[in-house]
Amino acid sequence: MRIVFEQHQYDESDIKNDLADIFELQDVNKKVSISYVGYFYSPKLKDCVFILPKVLLKDKDGREVIADVPQYVDKDGNSRDVTPEDIISQEGQKKFLKGEYQKFIYEFAVWIYRSLDVYRRLNPNTTAIYYRQLPQEGRGRRHHAQTYLDIILSLIRFNQENRNFFTFTIKNLHRGLNKINWNRTISRSQMFLQDDSPIYIKPVNKKKVINMDEELFIIFFSILKFLNDSYGFKTPINCMYELITGSKFEAYRKGLGKVRLRQIKYKYFSDKMLELWNLCYVFFDASKEMAIHTEQKEYLLAKNYEHVFEAMIDELIGDRNIPRGLKEQDDGKRVDHMYTYDALTSSNDDDDQIYYIGDSKYYKSGHKLGRESIYKQYTYARNVIQWNIDLFVNGKSSSWVDETDYEADQKDYGKIRLRDDAKDPLTEGYNVIPNFFLSAYVNANREYVEDCNIRIHENNGQHATYISYQWENRLFDRDTLILSHYDVNFLYVIYLYSRNKSNEKAMWREKVRKMFRDEIRKVLADRFDFYAMKSLGNPIAGEQFVKEHFKELQGKLYRPYGDKNLYALALEKKDGVDNASSDLYQMLGDYFVISKVDLGYNPNDDLTNEVVKYQQEHPYQSIPTDWLPEYHIERFKSDYVVVGMYHDQEHWDWITGKNDRGSLIYNVRLDKSRKGAQTRSQLRQMKAKFAILYEEGKDVNAYHVFRIHDTAVMSEERMTRAMYPQNHGGPKGDYFIYRFDDEVTIGRYDINKLIASRENHVNGAPIYLTCEELMEFRVQ
């Protein structure tokens, strides 16, 4: 077996004479570079040649060496790194490679071949693969479809999978061979007498002259010995036969093998023996063709192997049927890998998903990213954000041409919303888009194992993470883009892709997606402190605070938890600074319960309990006046105000959201038999703009003011379903309902004086007056 490496600059004298008839070679300062990966059989060399990927190489002291190979020590004790030139020939491989690494190289070459074959079959129209077979006589589907290397691998695999078959069959063939045939021994052998006892020096055993099963086994194991000697395979040969070697085996390769196999074929009837016979026949048939057709070559080669590597990674981690505009973007750029998976900010129990954007980088070991690659990856993410904005702002992406495409694509990808709720974009925050590079590495132990298949790429001992932003300390901002770099075990990717088993790929896909999510979360946790916060007052109070302090909170807040009153807060870590002691944190702590959290944990239950506890300890905590939006009632002189009473804290809680809708509502009696009842037509005619509410038995001037949104009528049964408090006899009859927007301020007024000015006023009954009339009771 000959071994060369992709894109390595060989001296012309080392390689050109052997390989010029195969490759288009480019001479650069008398150097030869091969830009293929794969396998071919060279009739001129009478040998297999493998071109291995450059991922096995690394730069050291200005030249390329083979990565992680033990240094070669010569007879004088001098050591040096092993170079690609050292192992072109099999003699060089035996000299410069230790046993374990020599075995690895041969296995790796075979896995590369298999991966290219799978890629060719999965992509029959690809122009990246060059494939040609030797002309061979058809001896069944198996023969016709295989290259010479396929035949070799089939022979080796048959030996590995049928060791028990060989042992059992050979044992049966030799059973009873040591029994003496006394009739023949007495008639044909000379007898001697010793102490009056006959002794036969040469007893005749029961042995067949020719055993066809043994002959087929001898031919098979002779082929395996030839493959071990010629190509460096390490296939075990567990038999004691005298094998066919040297010139006699060469005669078998040139045609005698086919002749002899035809002569003994009629002796075999079992499926296993027929399969073995067919494998041996196919091998000699191919060997004869290679000897006769010296101008013919067979090969399986990949041009631009980075495209194959990209396809392998995408097959293992990417999604299919991605909408236009996301992977094939409208500006002509193409994303290597994209899929949807659980968002970084959501818990494992949530159904919140996000786009994951990946880019494959097929480099030599230890190669660093270029600025162009990083910039392009940021552009991919910006295009995805714009695609999503077009979807939810304009109704469809510009990439869709008709409604059918829109509906089909929205089902899978269009349900994802990157920005805070469009109907209530309070924070105007953007979800974090996972964006990553994926390059290949070969484990130092050269293991095709799953438990070391993904790792963080490091630059000078630090995580290779890149951040692009317009404003500092704004993680939840569309201009803040985080890009991570990971390495994937190239051997495991080759192994998994080459086996092409859908269940194995699906299991690894789920595992690696979760791993990416967890690793990107770690990157974010290294740079940001994450908190969850919930308003100590009602949700309206929290929203109003965010509105009032929007500039200070922009890009720091997002609502990923489903509850609009539950916020995620991200604050960038700074050396020597505790975010919990910052002015912003202290200000938020006066109005919100705040808890430090890990990404992926939903703190809703914990914070709700904290809010309930706080409200129990501060039952009459009023919303600070400076939080509230101010309305000048001079602008509403002709509009009506309703002044009403609520009974107690339980009634107040119901008014401020502890009802079946979680909305701000207030009830007025319509049952004429009850004191303080109003008429439905009169209430609708007045169309009150504001409501002033005070608590029964408390300071009347400690009131709350709400802006009225709309009105409704609720029956007694509907009031019960709305969880109206039962401590005052429960709901009775119909009620006129005011629905509020939020709490506001309209100045200070003497409500005691207002109530006293009303003749025959029923205690607790609502009072209606215009804003102009209310101004008479203003407190200066």
Side-chain angles (χ1 to χ4, degrees):
M1 179 190 294
R2 305 297 177 96
I3 294 176
V4 291
F5 286 88
E6 172 199 18
Q7 295 183 5
H8 178 70
Q9 298 289 314
Y10 289 92
D11 286 332
E12 188 175 1
S13 59
D14 289 334
I15 197 171
K16 187 172 183 179
N17 292 334
D18 289 336
L19 305 179
D21 58 338
I22 287 293
F23 294 107
E24 299 174 1
L25 302 178
Q26 296 180 348
D27 294 344
V28 181
N29 299 324
K30 295 186 178 181
K31 297 286 185 178
V32 177
S33 175
I34 303 170
S35 57
Y36 295 84
V37 169
Y39 149 87
F40 70 91
Y41 183 87
S42 172
K44 182 177 181 180
L45 298 173
K46 292 182 171 43
D47 203 352
C48 297
V49 181
F50 281 96
I51 306 100
L52 300 186
K54 62 185 178 183
V55 70
L56 293 182
L57 303 178
K58 69 177 182 180
D59 292 321
K60 185 175 181 181
D61 300 329
R63 62 174 184 163
E64 286 185 334
V65 300
I66 305 176
D68 299 319
V69 177
Q71 288 189 324
Y72 169 70
V73 181
D74 61 21
K75 60 183 179 180
D76 297 326
N78 300 318
S79 62
R80 66 175 178 84
D81 293 307
V82 179
T83 66
E85 287 83 359
D86 292 331
I87 65 168
I88 293 176
S89 67
Q90 189 172 350
E91 292 74 17
Q93 296 157 22
K94 293 178 179 179
K95 178 179 179 181
F96 292 98
L97 298 179
K98 302 296 182 183
E100 287 298 320
Y101 200 91
Q102 188 177 2
K103 178 183 177 183
F104 159 73
I105 283 289
Y106 295 147
E107 290 180 351
F108 180 71
V110 172
W111 283 114
I112 288 293
Y113 171 85
R114 289 181 179 177
S115 68
L116 295 182
D117 192 48
V118 171
Y119 179 83
R120 178 181 65 86
R121 296 176 189 277
L122 292 178
N123 304 274
N125 298 322
T126 181
T127 59
I129 295 293
Y130 300 101
Y131 178 67
R132 184 176 183 178
Q133 295 175 230
L134 278 170
Q136 300 171 12
E137 297 177 14
R139 288 283 172 179
R141 295 170 56 192
R142 199 177 172 86
H143 179 204
H144 183 70
Q146 292 182 324
T147 66
Y148 181 59
L149 181 61
D150 281 318
I151 298 168
I152 292 174
L153 298 179
S154 297
L155 288 162
I156 293 173
R157 185 164 53 248
F158 187 90
N159 183 49
Q160 293 172 339
E161 295 174 353
N162 294 280
R163 292 179 183 177
N164 292 335
F165 164 74
F166 288 122
T167 302
F168 177 77
T169 305
I170 292 173
K171 183 178 179 180
N172 284 339
L173 290 174
H174 288 267
R175 180 177 296 170
L177 292 184
N178 291 326
K179 290 185 177 181
I180 298 174
N181 188 327
W182 287 109
N183 290 332
R184 291 186 177 184
T185 300
I186 293 172
S187 63
R188 298 182 182 183
S189 299
Q190 185 176 0
M191 180 191 71
F192 297 93
L193 289 174
Q194 181 175 344
D195 298 331
D196 297 328
S197 298
I199 297 174
Y200 293 91
I201 303 299
K202 295 182 179 181
V204 179
N205 292 340
K206 293 180 178 180
K207 183 176 181 180
K208 299 177 183 178
V209 176
I210 298 176
N211 189 302
M212 298 303 175
D213 287 348
E214 284 187 322
E215 184 172 1
L216 183 59
F217 288 166
I218 289 171
I219 292 174
F220 173 71
F221 286 118
S222 297
I223 294 173
L224 294 184
K225 179 172 174 54
F226 168 77
L227 298 179
N228 285 348
D229 294 341
S230 299
Y231 301 121
F233 291 104
K234 305 297 182 183
T235 305
I237 301 176
N238 300 318
C239 75
M240 301 301 294
Y241 295 119
E242 182 179 351
L243 302 180
I244 306 168
T245 58
S247 59
K248 186 176 181 181
F249 188 82
E250 284 301 314
Y252 267 67
R253 292 186 66 204
K254 292 178 180 179
L256 181 58
K258 291 176 61 178
V259 173
R260 185 59 189 150
L261 285 169
R262 284 187 184 135
Q263 291 172 346
I264 63 175
K265 181 180 180 182
Y266 71 95
K267 297 289 185 179
Y268 307 114
F269 300 98
S270 71
D271 291 341
K272 190 66 68 174
M273 294 299 290
L274 287 173
E275 182 182 357
L276 179 60
W277 183 93
N278 187 64
L279 286 172
C280 294
Y281 187 91
V282 167
F283 172 79
F284 286 124
D285 189 18
S287 295
K288 180 183 178 182
E289 290 296 328
M290 289 175 178
I292 295 174
H293 299 278
T294 56
E295 78 286 355
Q296 297 289 342
K297 312 168 186 69
E298 71 172 13
Y299 46 81
L300 180 61
L301 299 168
K303 179 78 171 178
N304 298 323
Y305 188 71
E306 61 268 17
H307 296 160
V308 179
F309 177 69
E310 174 190 324
M312 288 192 296
I313 296 296
D314 201 46
E315 172 72 17
L316 297 178
I317 70 170
D319 276 347
R320 305 294 174 268
N321 302 320
I322 298 174
R324 292 186 300 277
L326 281 178
K327 192 167 185 178
E328 302 289 345
Q329 298 185 340
D330 290 343
D331 62 355
K333 293 182 174 61
R334 183 183 183 278
V335 178
D336 286 352
H337 319 295
M338 176 170 279
Y339 59 88
T340 61
Y341 194 64
D342 296 340
L344 302 175
T345 52
S346 65
S347 69
N348 295 329
D349 298 330
D350 295 335
D351 193 29
D352 187 19
Q353 294 196 322
I354 199 69
Y355 309 112
Y356 283 71
I357 306 170
D359 190 53
S360 298
K361 290 301 173 188
Y362 175 64
Y363 291 147
K364 289 184 294 185
S365 179
H367 193 282
K368 294 183 179 180
L369 290 173
R371 295 183 62 183
E372 179 183 355
S373 297
I374 297 172
Y375 183 83
K376 284 170 62 178
Q377 199 67 12
Y378 287 141
T379 304
Y380 296 152
R382 290 187 178 96
N383 287 344
V384 169
I385 292 172
Q386 189 59 52
W387 184 92
N388 192 268
I389 291 174
D390 289 342
L391 171 63
F392 288 102
V393 174
N394 300 329
K396 65 170 68 175
S397 167
S398 58
S399 301
W400 288 319
V401 295
D402 58 47
E403 294 297 328
T404 303
D405 291 330
Y406 166 74
E407 292 175 0
D409 291 340
Q410 189 188 39
K411 179 180 178 181
D412 298 322
Y413 273 72
K415 64 184 179 181
I416 296 173
R417 189 187 302 276
L418 297 180
R419 197 176 67 181
D420 204 355
D421 192 349
K423 296 180 180 178
D424 183 21
L426 177 66
T427 67
E428 296 187 12
Y430 280 80
N431 207 341
V432 182
I433 296 183
N435 200 355
F436 59 89
F437 286 114
L438 195 61
S439 55
Y441 80 99
V442 175
N443 188 277
N445 296 324
R446 300 174 294 280
E447 296 176 344
Y448 296 82
V449 292
E450 186 176 356
D451 58 359
C452 59
N453 56 20
I454 295 290
R455 69 183 186 187
I456 289 283
H457 188 90
E458 294 186 350
N459 284 338
N460 301 321
Q462 301 293 323
H463 286 185
T465 303
Y466 312 90
I467 297 184
S468 173
Y469 57 86
Q470 182 172 344
W471 304 99
E472 289 186 359
N473 201 10
R474 290 188 184 179
L475 176 63
F476 301 122
D477 186 272
R478 66 173 292 178
D479 291 325
T480 299
L481 301 174
I482 295 182
L483 179 57
S484 301
H485 190 174
Y486 303 92
D487 294 328
V488 61
N489 184 355
F490 186 69
L491 303 183
Y492 188 74
V493 169
I494 291 288
Y495 165 83
L496 193 62
Y497 184 80
S498 300
R499 286 168 63 87
N500 198 27
K501 294 186 176 181
S502 57
N503 60 327
E504 289 183 351
K505 292 190 291 186
M507 290 173 62
W508 191 74
R509 181 180 297 115
E510 177 61 28
K511 182 173 183 177
V512 81
R513 286 182 177 186
K514 182 179 183 302
M515 191 177 301
F516 276 135
R517 183 183 186 228
D518 292 342
E519 291 297 337
I520 296 173
R521 281 175 162 175
K522 291 178 183 178
V523 170
L524 294 177
D526 286 342
R527 293 179 175 266
F528 293 88
D529 288 326
F530 290 93
Y531 305 89
M533 63 184 203
K534 197 166 191 176
S535 173
L536 291 170
N538 58 48
I540 298 298
E543 291 181 8
Q544 190 58 45
F545 180 88
V546 173
K547 292 176 182 178
E548 291 291 324
H549 299 274
F550 179 78
K551 185 172 180 59
E552 298 141 282
L553 298 174
Q554 187 177 12
K556 300 177 179 65
L557 292 184
Y558 187 68
R559 294 185 290 185
Y561 302 111
D563 184 347
K564 292 184 177 181
N565 191 33
L566 187 60
Y567 304 82
L569 170 68
L571 298 177
E572 189 174 3
K573 292 180 178 180
K574 296 182 179 179
D575 294 338
V577 176
D578 182 5
N579 277 314
S581 63
S582 66
D583 293 340
L584 177 62
Y585 186 96
Q586 296 298 322
M587 179 181 66
L588 290 169
D590 291 338
Y591 307 109
F592 295 87
V593 57
I594 306 176
S595 176
K596 194 169 186 178
V597 296
D598 294 325
L599 285 175
Y601 175 71
N602 191 329
N604 189 32
D605 292 341
D606 297 340
L607 294 189
T608 298
N609 293 334
E610 290 294 321
V611 170
V612 170
K613 180 180 178 181
Y614 177 86
Q615 291 179 347
Q616 288 174 347
E617 295 174 353
H618 306 79
Y620 298 107
Q621 179 73 23
S622 298
I623 299 172
T625 303
D626 56 2
W627 281 28
L628 304 179
E630 183 174 358
Y631 286 86
H632 300 281
I633 63 172
E634 289 84 356
R635 298 174 53 192
F636 306 94
K637 289 183 178 181
S638 60
D639 291 310
Y640 276 85
V641 177
V642 55
V643 179
M645 180 194 74
Y646 61 91
H647 296 293
D648 49 25
Q649 183 65 36
E650 187 176 9
H651 191 191
W652 172 252
D653 291 340
W654 182 82
I655 290 171
T656 55
K658 288 189 178 181
N659 50 67
D660 66 332
R661 292 297 181 90
S663 56
L664 299 170
I665 56 178
Y666 180 67
N667 59 304
V668 175
R669 299 171 183 174
L670 291 177
D671 187 352
K672 295 180 180 180
S673 65
R674 303 185 66 191
K675 293 183 178 180
Q678 306 293 315
T679 61
R680 185 177 311 182
S681 59
Q682 185 178 4
L683 294 179
R684 284 178 172 168
Q685 184 177 1
M686 284 188 290
K687 296 182 180 179
K689 184 75 69 175
F690 300 98
I692 299 176
L693 305 182
Y694 60 90
E695 185 176 0
E696 182 180 13
K698 301 292 183 179
D699 181 9
V700 174
N701 284 326
Y703 55 81
H704 300 272
V705 181
F706 294 91
R707 179 177 173 86
I708 296 173
H709 182 271
D710 59 12
T711 62
V713 174
M714 294 175 65
S715 65
E716 180 178 330
E717 185 273 334
R718 180 66 185 86
M719 287 287 287
T720 301
R721 286 192 289 112
M723 304 164 57
Y724 187 75
Q726 301 293 319
N727 58 345
H728 292 281
K732 296 176 182 178
D734 293 343
Y735 290 84
F736 193 84
I737 299 298
Y738 291 103
R739 283 197 286 253
F740 301 148
D741 278 334
D742 49 22
E743 190 170 355
V744 299
T745 180
I746 56 175
R748 298 304 302 167
Y749 301 91
D750 190 341
I751 304 302
N752 272 318
K753 185 177 179 181
L754 169 62
I755 295 174
S757 68
R758 300 297 173 180
E759 296 182 1
N760 302 320
H761 175 67
V762 177
N763 184 40
I767 299 174
Y768 291 87
L769 70 164
T770 65
C771 288
E772 186 174 16
E773 292 171 336
L774 178 63
M775 291 169 59
E776 298 177 9
F777 301 95
R778 176 176 286 170
V779 177
Q780 299 298 329

